[in-house]
Amino acid sequence: MVREGKAESCFHVRLWCIVVLCLVLLSACFIVSCVEKIWGCCPGTWKPFGSSCYFISSKEDFWAKSEQNCIGMGAHLVVINTEAEQDFIIQQLNKTFSYFLGLSDPQGNGDWQWIDQTPYKENVRFWHQNEPNFSAEECASVVFWDERGWGWNDVFCDSKRKSICEMKKIYL
């Protein structure tokens, strides 16, 4: 009878060890999922980089319509703040297309403005050589030119192009 009690006691200790181990593993999984949520996430088809999410439109439209499409998704046309951001974005693009940026010169007087009111800085710009070059082209796009690679170009706002939308990551 004593031996049966000892065996039963060993069984209970093992069972409790398994229960505690499972609780520790579940807790670890919960903590990891919370940390991931604190870091932020992007909607399914959006690409994450830094504190933002990016959507590359497959549809071509005018600049104003492209901005409205971005707004409809809770975003705006992309604002490029760093070379690292520019490098990330161009890796997502197809070289055969041109993509609207959230940069425009509404008066055609060289006063370029970002759509989110970020100050336009001369040191954070990636214009192709000799661009912008025509005051009637009041919107900016990023385009690949064989001899020059990726860079910005001033374009007519009423031309149809693909676009890049940007939103801040969602933090839960």
Side-chain angles (χ1 to χ4, degrees), residues 49 80-91 123-126 152:
F49 179 79
I80 298 176
N81 298 294
T82 65
E83 187 172 357
E85 184 180 23
Q86 166 94 352
D87 290 344
F88 168 78
I89 289 167
I90 62 176
Q91 290 173 19
N123 63 333
V124 181
R125 60 190 184 118
F126 303 99
W152 300 352

Side-chain angles (χ1 to χ4, degrees), residues 24-164:
V24 167
L25 289 172
L26 284 172
S27 297
C29 288
F30 176 75
I31 289 168
V32 167
S33 73
C34 287
V35 168
E36 285 175 1
K37 289 178 183 168
I38 290 170
W39 287 340
C41 56
C42 296
T45 57
W46 293 62
K47 308 276 187 194
F49 179 79
S51 61
S52 294
C53 305
Y54 301 88
F55 178 79
I56 312 302
S57 172
S58 59
K59 180 181 178 188
E60 291 184 341
D61 228 321
F62 305 118
W63 189 89
K65 181 66 174 149
S66 295
E67 171 62 5
Q68 287 303 311
N69 292 340
C70 291
I71 289 170
M73 294 185 283
H76 55 74
L77 282 170
V78 68
V79 173
I80 298 176
N81 298 294
T82 65
E83 187 172 357
E85 184 180 23
Q86 166 94 352
D87 290 344
F88 168 78
I89 289 167
I90 62 176
Q91 290 173 19
Q92 316 303 315
L93 305 179
N94 183 324
K95 292 178 180 179
T96 60
F97 296 105
S98 173
Y99 300 82
F100 278 127
L101 303 173
L103 183 62
S104 66
D105 177 13
Q107 308 305 317
N109 61 3
D111 185 22
W112 290 91
Q113 302 168 11
W114 288 109
I115 195 79
D116 71 347
Q117 307 308 313
T118 295
Y120 175 74
K121 300 177 189 169
E122 290 296 318
N123 63 333
V124 181
R125 60 190 184 118
F126 303 99
W127 293 104
H128 275 299
Q129 188 176 356
N130 301 321
E131 299 293 342
N133 64 351
F134 185 45
S135 62
E137 295 177 321
E138 298 173 348
C139 290
S141 72
V142 61
V143 61
F144 184 87
W145 289 343
D146 287 331
E147 62 280 357
R148 300 183 191 175
W150 286 101
W152 300 352
N153 181 34
D154 56 337
V155 296
F156 292 106
C157 299
D158 61 357
S159 59
K160 285 194 170 185
R161 301 176 188 284
K162 294 183 184 277
S163 59
I164 308 160

